[in-house]
Amino acid sequence: MYKVLVVSALSQELNIIKSEIKKLSLRNIKVSFLSTGMGNYNMILNLTRFLEKNYFDLVINIGVCGYKNDFSINRQKANSLFIQIGRIFNLSNSKELIIPQIINFGNIESIACSEKPVFDSLELSDEDFVDMESYGFEMVCNSFSISRILLKIPVDKVGSETNNFDFKKAEESLRNNINYKELFFEIHKYIDEHLKTGKGKYKIHDDIFDTYSQSFNFTFSQKEIFKKLYYRYISLVNSDFSVFYEANKNMDKKKFLKKLEKGLEKYLVR
Amino acid sequence: MYKVLVVSALSQELNIIKSEIKKLSLRNIKVSFLSTGMGNYNMILNLTRFLEKNYFDLVINIGVCGYKNDFSINRQKANSLFIQIGRIFNLSNSKELIIPQIINFGNIESIACSEKPVFDSLELSDEDFVDMESYGFEMVCNSFSISRILLKIPVDKVGSETNNFDFKKAEESLRNNINYKELFFEIHKYIDEHLKTGKGKYKIHDDIFDTYSQSFNFTFSQKEIFKKLYYRYISLVNSDFSVFYEANKNMDKKKFLKKLEKGLEKYLVR
């Protein structure tokens, strides 16, 4: 039996998700649920206390998030029913976390994380989405070395809807925007391919990493740097990584990594 | 044997404190030490993990802090070798925590808590001191219901010294500004009077609370509200509480609490 924990900030969010997951027939997976309270501080405190007392193979954070009012957001993003978080930018300490991806499920996006509700989209700088718990969630999972998935559903337009938060809309989105059957199909696949076989945890893009690594003959530490930059790229840039690779594959490997890092800087919040 | 934990953000801070405490001969107290890393996120994560695995009767947070460059600080504050924290205002989420006091050791003061170093004293609004871990420390201790003491040593002037942080000065202050022998004398007294006798944990101002409570015939919940306001008062206002009491003791008890709360509002950061 594999143990999966679903974490949300609010019990209202969790109840909806719980009722949807309870409808599924899951083979060899036991799902538990935890609501932590709002904000990174509560997320870190309560998730840590829970994980110290209970073992899980996989933790999923599902919740609603805000999105930018003005459409710097491209068409694909604007139509996102949900997003899979690949990068978090914390607005309080200006630090970035990159999340190792274990399933291919939704569009991988970057999100800003704030300690208080954001009412003005200018505070988000170049970020298109904002929530209040993703940073703490990722920090705790990283500390416990637990496989994790972060899914956010854009519900309130920052600047116009955050003030009058529509709980009914949020509930409906939590119920309908994520196909929970498909999500657990992906989780089953991950368990079969990685946890069962003991092939290691964070393997989802390993074939990609291997391909580029071999092409450049990266050292171990260069490969680790490349992984972070790769996830930053797919979170921030709305185009296929192979485009960047094809245009730069004849460069020296150090210069390639440098160019990738430099090129991403214009996407970073300052 | 009573178990006491000393917590600092940085191992450099902890090493100094440890070497001072090791010089003391402590009867029936075993002292442990933990450094958590900088910032509330690290404090919450690492202190929680440690407290889940180890039992302590008392936790002490000792560290350096910044202080305001322009002297809104009065003479007493300016000469403070160290301060005992009674109230924390978190700059990221604008929330306040009031700390139940268990010993009378230093001047009880209010501190701002920030997720990144503060270089401009304007960011502190009415607060005179700033650190980066007190909010997380208090949150965790409150969650575990552990008796705690927060001591901060003002070392760097915000706006002029934070940029070129003087580690040598910080180390000397940590060594010399706190009389560790006196601190543990107070801790021994607390253990004898409260922990040994099982009289309950947070008792330090109970005689004061009882006096005012009886005078006003407060209900249980009014007394709890009064406790918080009392600590807010002594953290924020530099005068004896009896002055306020004498001037307002003939008021109706609800009006008295209201006036106390209203009067404190002008001291609060907005």
Side-chain angles (χ1 to χ4, degrees):
Chain A
M1 209 64 166
Y2 289 91
K3 297 185 76 181
V4 171
L5 176 67
V6 175
V7 182
S8 294
L10 304 177
S11 57
Q12 295 97 308
E13 295 176 301
L14 200 64
N15 288 339
I16 306 285
I17 299 162
K18 195 171 178 174
S19 72
E20 291 306 305
I21 292 177
K22 289 282 179 201
K23 292 178 191 165
L24 307 173
S25 61
L26 301 172
R27 62 175 165 87
N28 73 357
I29 289 180
K30 186 184 179 303
V31 185
S32 303
F33 299 89
L34 174 73
S35 69
T36 59
M38 271 176 79
N40 288 314
Y41 304 129
N42 285 317
M43 173 60 81
I44 299 174
L45 176 62
N46 294 314
L47 182 56
T48 301
R49 296 203 68 165
F50 200 73
L51 291 182
E52 280 288 350
K53 291 180 198 119
N54 304 280
Y55 175 81
F56 291 96
D57 297 289
L58 174 66
V59 190
I60 316 172
N61 175 214
I62 303 177
V64 297
C65 72
Y67 63 95
K68 219 178 224 171
N69 202 358
D70 59 344
F71 274 66
S72 73
I73 304 180
N74 65 22
R75 176 169 286 277
Q76 189 191 14
K77 282 190 188 182
N79 290 325
S80 288
L81 291 172
F82 71 94
I83 54 174
Q84 187 172 333
I85 307 302
R87 173 184 177 272
I88 301 157
F89 181 79
N90 186 310
L91 297 176
S92 299
N93 65 8
S94 301
K95 284 185 182 161
E96 169 191 75
L97 295 178
I98 303 280
I99 299 145
Q101 298 298 321
I102 59 163
I103 63 167
N104 274 323
F105 184 53
N107 288 334
I108 294 181
E109 297 286 354
S110 177
I111 196 166
C113 194
S114 170
E115 294 308 330
K116 49 183 164 188
V118 173
F119 298 109
D120 182 351
S121 61
L122 285 177
E123 290 176 43
L124 298 183
S125 190
D126 286 337
E127 297 292 331
D128 288 322
F129 304 102
V130 61
D131 86 331
M132 295 178 67
E133 293 87 16
S134 54
Y135 189 89
F137 177 84
E138 171 57 22
M139 218 182 144
V140 174
C141 291
N142 181 55
S143 171
F144 283 83
S145 298
I146 297 184
S147 303
R148 60 273 192 189
I149 303 167
L150 283 89
L151 304 175
K152 299 282 159 173
I153 301 170
V155 163
D156 57 307
K157 269 190 204 172
V158 171
S160 63
E161 294 174 354
T162 310
N163 259 320
N164 298 299
F165 190 78
D166 186 343
F167 279 103
K168 214 176 148 76
K169 186 177 162 197
E171 286 186 4
E172 277 168 20
S173 306
L174 279 163
R175 198 185 306 282
N176 302 320
N177 286 26
I178 289 179
N179 185 328
Y180 292 94
K181 197 176 167 183
E182 266 181 34
L183 171 61
F184 276 88
F185 177 80
E186 291 295 331
I187 289 171
H188 271 127
K189 218 166 75 181
Y190 168 71
I191 285 172
D192 287 342
E193 287 174 14
H194 302 296
L195 293 186
K196 262 194 190 166
T197 58
K199 274 186 189 165
K201 285 179 170 178
Y202 315 136
K203 294 271 184 188
I204 188 68
H205 295 113
D206 259 20
D207 48 344
I208 298 173
F209 297 139
D210 282 342
T211 307
Y212 294 123
S213 247
Q214 279 160 20
S215 150
F216 281 110
N217 196 19
F218 283 147
T219 64
F220 178 80
S221 66
Q222 284 168 336
K223 190 175 169 186
E224 291 305 305
I225 292 167
F226 173 67
K227 280 184 190 177
K228 287 215 164 194
L229 292 174
Y230 175 83
Y231 283 130
R232 192 189 272 169
Y233 183 94
I234 58 173
S235 300
L236 293 172
V237 185
N238 292 290
S239 70
D240 195 329
F241 184 75
S242 62
V243 180
F244 181 87
Y245 170 72
E246 287 300 329
N248 298 286
K249 65 181 176 186
N250 295 321
M251 287 179 105
D252 166 78
K253 61 182 175 178
K254 280 188 188 168
K255 281 187 183 152
F256 175 83
L257 288 176
K258 208 73 198 162
K259 184 167 183 189
L260 179 52
E261 190 179 1
K262 279 274 169 206
L264 287 171
E265 272 178 12
K266 66 174 179 288
Y267 294 93
L268 299 178
V269 179
R270 289 292 160 205
Chain B
M1 210 64 167
Y2 289 91
K3 298 185 76 180
V4 171
L5 177 66
V6 176
V7 182
S8 294
L10 304 177
S11 57
Q12 295 97 310
E13 295 177 301
L14 201 64
N15 288 338
I16 307 285
I17 300 163
K18 196 171 175 173
S19 72
E20 292 305 306
I21 292 176
K22 288 283 180 202
K23 292 177 191 166
L24 308 173
S25 61
L26 302 172
R27 62 174 165 87
N28 71 359
I29 289 180
K30 186 184 179 300
V31 185
S32 303
F33 299 89
L34 175 73
S35 69
T36 59
M38 270 176 80
N40 288 315
Y41 303 130
N42 284 316
M43 174 59 82
I44 299 174
L45 176 62
N46 294 313
L47 181 56
T48 301
R49 296 203 68 165
F50 199 72
L51 292 183
E52 280 288 349
K53 292 180 198 119
N54 304 280
Y55 175 81
F56 292 97
D57 297 289
L58 173 67
V59 191
I60 315 174
N61 176 214
I62 304 177
V64 297
C65 72
Y67 63 95
K68 219 178 224 172
N69 202 359
D70 58 344
F71 274 65
S72 73
I73 305 181
N74 64 21
R75 175 169 287 276
Q76 190 191 15
K77 282 190 187 180
N79 290 326
S80 288
L81 291 172
F82 72 93
I83 54 173
Q84 187 172 333
I85 307 301
R87 174 184 177 272
I88 302 156
F89 181 79
N90 186 309
L91 296 175
S92 300
N93 65 7
S94 300
K95 284 185 182 159
E96 169 190 76
L97 294 178
I98 304 280
I99 299 145
Q101 299 297 322
I102 60 163
I103 63 167
N104 274 323
F105 184 54
N107 288 333
I108 294 181
E109 298 285 356
S110 178
I111 196 166
C113 194
S114 170
E115 294 308 330
K116 48 182 165 188
V118 174
F119 299 109
D120 182 350
S121 61
L122 285 177
E123 289 176 44
L124 298 184
S125 191
D126 286 337
E127 297 291 332
D128 288 323
F129 304 102
V130 61
D131 86 331
M132 295 178 68
E133 294 85 17
S134 54
Y135 189 89
F137 176 83
E138 171 58 22
M139 218 181 145
V140 174
C141 291
N142 182 57
S143 172
F144 282 84
S145 298
I146 298 185
S147 302
R148 60 273 191 187
I149 303 167
L150 282 89
L151 303 176
K152 298 282 159 171
I153 300 170
V155 163
D156 57 307
K157 269 189 204 170
V158 171
S160 64
E161 295 174 354
T162 310
N163 258 319
N164 297 300
F165 190 79
D166 185 342
F167 278 102
K168 213 177 150 77
K169 185 178 161 196
E171 286 186 6
E172 277 169 20
S173 307
L174 279 165
R175 198 185 307 281
N176 302 320
N177 287 26
I178 290 179
N179 185 327
Y180 292 94
K181 196 175 168 184
E182 266 181 35
L183 172 62
F184 275 89
F185 177 80
E186 291 294 330
I187 290 172
H188 270 127
K189 218 167 75 183
Y190 168 72
I191 285 173
D192 286 341
E193 287 173 16
H194 302 295
L195 292 187
K196 262 194 190 168
T197 58
K199 274 187 191 165
K201 286 178 169 179
Y202 315 137
K203 293 271 185 187
I204 188 68
H205 295 111
D206 260 19
D207 48 344
I208 298 174
F209 297 139
D210 283 341
T211 308
Y212 295 123
S213 247
Q214 278 161 22
S215 150
F216 280 111
N217 197 18
F218 283 148
T219 63
F220 177 80
S221 66
Q222 284 168 337
K223 190 176 169 185
E224 291 306 304
I225 292 166
F226 173 68
K227 281 183 189 177
K228 286 215 162 192
L229 293 174
Y230 176 83
Y231 282 131
R232 192 189 274 170
Y233 183 96
I234 59 172
S235 300
L236 293 172
V237 184
N238 292 291
S239 70
D240 196 329
F241 185 75
S242 61
V243 179
F244 180 87
Y245 171 71
E246 287 300 328
N248 298 286
K249 66 179 176 187
N250 295 321
M251 286 179 106
D252 166 77
K253 61 183 175 179
K254 279 189 186 168
K255 280 187 184 155
F256 175 83
L257 288 176
K258 208 73 198 161
K259 185 169 182 186
L260 179 54
E261 190 179 2
K262 279 275 168 206
L264 287 170
E265 273 180 11
K266 66 173 180 287
Y267 294 94
L268 300 178
V269 180
R270 288 293 160 203

